[in-house]
DNA sequence: CCCGCATCTGACAACGTTGTCCAGGCTCTA
DNA sequence: TAGAGCCTGGACAACGTTGTCAGATGCGGG
């Protein structure tokens, strides 16, 4: 957790105390900051104003039966007059469910995760739950920190896009009843529901597509193989090459490369060595974008297939051929499975794999440069 | 609120009761679902196991002083053995702050809001707070529903990208101490902090840029004028035209158009009427994308400047000239202002306007087709 | 007129945590 | 060795809500 740069420190609020007397210092400012929830009215206040009992207010607020219209009206008036709003924190404490679920992903700013998150939110909304988002920034420690913070809030369920590869820390939580679904990458070292895209098959098909168009020297640029999707896509690449009987040279593969600078260098190296590649398979959307730039700058056409669709890919010259995965479907599927767990329809953990789709737009159909 | 399609109904959980006896039916399944938090251990359990008092456990958990190392060790062992995790719901109830803030935006799947949300999250994280996201889908009722749900959770603060134009419903909340900052569009009918991009100036500059390159018949396609940014951008368009002494024809303006079908039609109409426009100013990222498509299909070059940057805009032929706003800076600025409110450094509500930046890439510098 | 019943209402405990405050044991000093 | 003072630990109330249950009220019938 980063250091707070200010005095807002919600989880460690100390009330100033006079050293000698032990009395609280209730100066005006201190009093204000001490007012929990800024002095919001409670059901007790509403009850007092309406001249009824506490429980009657509760009944009105929750639409429970057994309140005469006249009483209900009086209570409602008091509620409006005071601007009362039920405190769901207390409600949660009493009821045991928070009606909220957590989503831990890599980076909300990544165009792949926006739609995924939105899809999860929609499903949550249909079940009356709110969504708490957290970005792990691909850091396993931060992932764990986030997940545990969400568990401390007692979210009813968790959708996790893993950054780390060991999720045993979640075992007590799952045992305690926190519904959990992993998305995009499988959980590490525990048995849990997983919703994935078919990275292996998608990559294999994409590379096979290049091979079918006459390429033999095909480069692969992808993320660190410790990331499951990256490893699977690499495996797909190798499988396609092997199926075609093409031995892969080390110089054709660049792994663990993700920031634009290094992707750029990797692409340039592949394209300019003694036996340059004639086509590149890009392992994810960010890599694809950078490779498109490099190719555009070089002038000479190079075939390209990318994993993940990217916006405007169809408008480039040539259009970018991609292996598309449906981020929204991933999120929706995962969330639906989560709520099925919460409904108690517990089946054994399952691995759901969604198909990918090859979208041909031109760049993947270029013949090898001679 | 949509209907829940399942039995997960966290906020209205009824326990099955036998009609005749009034006794609870405690069949195995019912018992399980009745277990709050799935039977998680509490501090009481930890205290019993460690053979210490409840408060001592609390002290250990919160790192408060006044516990001997030996006692601390015993407590820690009990915590680990039971898999105890502090229940922040109860903590929140006691402490009065939730260490969470709410962000209501239009659509998390929109590439403009992803970075904004992420920026808010980072600031929140630096202050030890979690972020609850909600998408209003540009529906004022849904916005209000979301905001009030967040208030019921007692979020410490709210960052709102307004869908509606009347936020008086927030007055009691703000009075009760919920820090609130509006982003991207101003609040309606209440006085509150606002962080905006300079939509007017940006649009004016963008249109002036087209005029400077010789255009006089310039089209404008934008969102409904009830959306503040859309209205401001239209105003900027009109101002630039007026400054140049160019009377605007109605046929050049298309307002309230946002879905691709209708944007497409609007663009085609403008480009093919009796006095077709030679340039188009697109009011937001989605409009820009569609207009780029239409122009590309027509073959004949048409000048274009779009509001909002779009990915890969530099790689198109020609590159798309845009008026860029910094979504992350909007989010960061708003969140920082929010926490400044929470720190108690309350100043009077302020309107902060962030500058936009014209990025020339080619499409805005095309001369008018003769 | 009184009883039984149904309906409405409110007192009370509980949820899990933290703030307050006091008790008991220890150390240190005179 | 007694007293003062400190350190540690725990009992208790409170946060705002909901579930339980019993009491109050009103109504109709015997």
């Amino acid at each position: 957790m980063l250091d707070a740069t200010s005095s807002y420190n919600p989880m460690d609020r100390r009330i100033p105390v006079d050293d000698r007397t032990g009395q609280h210092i209730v100066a005006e400012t201190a009093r204000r900051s001490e007012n929990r929830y800024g002095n919001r009215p409670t059901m007790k206040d509403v009850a007092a104003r309406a001249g009824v009992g506490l429980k009657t207010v509760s009944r009105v607020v929750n639409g429970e039966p057994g309140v005469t219209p006249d009483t209900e009206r009086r209570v409602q008036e008091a509620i409006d007059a005071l601007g009362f709003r039920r405190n769901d924190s207390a409600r949660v404490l009493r009821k045991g469910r928070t009606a909220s679920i957590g989503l831990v992903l890599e980076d909300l700013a990544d165009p792949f995760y926006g739609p995924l998150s939105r899809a999860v939110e929609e499903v949550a909304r249909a079940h009356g739950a709110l969504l708490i988002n957290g970005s792990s920034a691909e850091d396993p420690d931060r992932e764990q920190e986030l997940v545990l913070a969400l568990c401390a809030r007692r979210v009813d369920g968790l959708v996790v896009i893993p950054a780390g590869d060991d999720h045993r820390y979640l075992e007590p939580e799952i045992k305690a009843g926190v519904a959990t679904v992993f998305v995009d990458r499988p959980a590490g070292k525990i048995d849990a529901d997983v919703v994935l895209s078919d990275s292996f098959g998608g990559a294999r098909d994409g590379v096979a597509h290049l091979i079918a168009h006459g390429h033999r020297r095909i480069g692969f640029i992808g993320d660190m193989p410790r990331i499951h999707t990256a490893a699977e896509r690499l495996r797909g690449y190798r499988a396609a090459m092997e199926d075609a009987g093409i031995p892969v040279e080390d110089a054709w593969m660049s792994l663990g490369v993700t920031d634009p600078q290094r992707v750029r260098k990797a692409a340039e190296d592949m394209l300019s060595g003694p036996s340059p590649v004639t086509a590149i398979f890009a392992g994810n959307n960010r890599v694809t974008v950078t490779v498109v730039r490099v190719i555009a700058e070089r002038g000479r056409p190079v075939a390209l297939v990318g994993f993940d669709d990217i916006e405007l890919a169809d408008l480039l010259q040539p259009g970018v051929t991609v292996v598309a995965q449906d981020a929204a479907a991933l999120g929706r599927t995962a969330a639906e499975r989560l709520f099925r767990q919460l409904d108690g329809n517990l089946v054994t953990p399952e691995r759901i794999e969604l198909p990918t789709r090859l979208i041909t737009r031109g760049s993947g159909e270029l013949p090898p440069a001679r």
Side-chain angles (χ1 to χ4, degrees), chain A:
Chain A
M1 185 76 62
L2 300 178
D3 279 347
T5 54
S6 73
S7 69
Y8 170 82
N9 203 344
M11 284 319 195
D12 181 34
R13 192 162 51 89
R14 287 159 202 283
I15 295 168
V17 171
D18 186 304
D19 281 349
R20 287 157 309 156
T21 65
Q23 297 279 318
H24 296 154
I25 301 166
V26 283
E28 190 48 39
T29 56
R31 181 189 293 280
R32 175 190 298 173
S33 80
E34 192 177 353
N35 280 341
R36 50 191 69 247
Y37 305 127
N39 251 354
R40 299 192 80 116
T42 70
M43 285 191 179
K44 203 165 138 189
D45 302 324
V46 174
R49 179 171 182 121
V52 301
L54 183 55
K55 179 64 203 195
T56 301
V57 176
S58 174
R59 271 191 273 261
V60 171
V61 169
N62 294 297
E64 287 172 28
V67 182
T68 45
D70 183 56
T71 310
E72 174 164 359
R73 191 185 43 73
R74 287 212 319 283
V75 171
Q76 195 58 56
E77 279 173 13
I79 288 176
D80 294 341
L82 295 174
F84 167 80
R85 185 110 43 219
R86 181 179 63 197
N87 184 336
D88 276 352
S89 288
R91 175 166 232 251
V92 152
L93 179 61
R94 193 66 234 267
K95 297 211 110 175
R97 284 220 161 163
T98 57
S100 56
I101 66 173
L103 170 61
V104 177
L105 37 70
E106 194 229 315
D107 180 2
L108 208 40
D110 184 319
F112 177 71
Y113 293 112
L116 194 156
S117 175
R118 178 67 200 277
V120 172
E121 183 194 343
E122 286 304 315
V123 175
R125 179 178 149 84
H127 289 81
L130 285 178
L131 180 63
I132 305 180
N133 277 93
S135 297
S136 68
E138 206 67 90
D139 173 352
D141 292 337
R142 187 160 161 181
E143 173 209 300
Q144 177 169 350
E145 176 194 320
L146 267 171
V147 165
L148 293 183
L150 291 168
C151 288
R153 303 290 171 109
R154 297 294 189 268
V155 292
D156 298 334
L158 275 171
V159 177
V160 181
I161 293 164
D165 53 5
D166 184 351
H167 296 91
R168 281 174 297 184
Y169 69 87
L170 258 172
E171 262 173 358
E173 312 298 331
I174 293 175
K175 205 167 292 172
V178 180
T180 309
V181 177
F182 289 81
V183 187
D184 193 40
R185 309 168 190 169
K189 303 184 181 170
I190 63 169
D191 198 24
D193 274 332
V194 190
V195 180
L196 302 165
S197 279
D198 180 12
S199 282
F200 169 74
R204 191 194 47 202
D205 295 351
V207 174
H209 183 75
L210 289 168
I211 295 171
H213 282 80
H215 296 271
R216 294 186 59 84
R217 299 200 308 279
I218 302 173
F220 176 95
I221 306 180
D223 217 328
M224 294 162 287
R226 73 167 176 80
I227 298 176
H228 177 263
T229 49
E232 283 291 290
R233 290 167 199 178
L234 176 60
R235 198 164 67 82
Y237 164 79
R238 286 182 178 284
M241 296 295 267
E242 191 176 334
D243 287 351
I246 306 172
V248 174
E249 294 183 17
D250 283 349
W252 298 350
M253 291 181 299
S254 171
L255 310 177
V257 162
T258 176
D259 67 297
Q261 299 284 350
R262 297 179 55 203
V263 170
R264 170 173 292 276
K265 174 147 189 340
E268 282 167 353
D269 287 352
M270 279 180 197
L271 290 170
S272 52
S275 91
V277 301
T278 62
I280 293 179
F281 186 85
N284 66 40
N285 54 357
R286 283 161 303 175
V287 172
T288 305
V289 168
T290 304
V291 173
V292 167
R293 287 217 164 81
V294 171
I295 293 175
E297 287 163 14
R298 296 178 66 88
R300 199 152 51 92
V302 176
L304 169 68
V305 173
F307 208 108
D308 292 337
D309 203 359
I310 50 182
E311 194 165 40
L312 297 187
D314 55 324
L315 290 179
L316 297 176
Q317 303 286 350
V320 182
T321 294
V322 297
V323 177
Q325 50 178 334
D326 187 341
L330 279 175
R332 194 166 47 244
T333 307
E336 278 164 1
R337 184 131 188 109
L338 189 78
F339 284 102
R340 211 164 314 142
Q341 281 185 34
L342 285 169
D343 285 343
N345 303 342
L346 309 158
V347 275
T348 49
E350 213 171 287
R351 177 195 179 97
I352 302 175
E353 207 159 80
L354 301 184
T356 58
R357 198 161 50 98
L358 183 74
I359 305 178
T360 59
R361 294 196 180 110
S363 76
E365 294 74 49
L366 294 174
R370 117 227 74 73

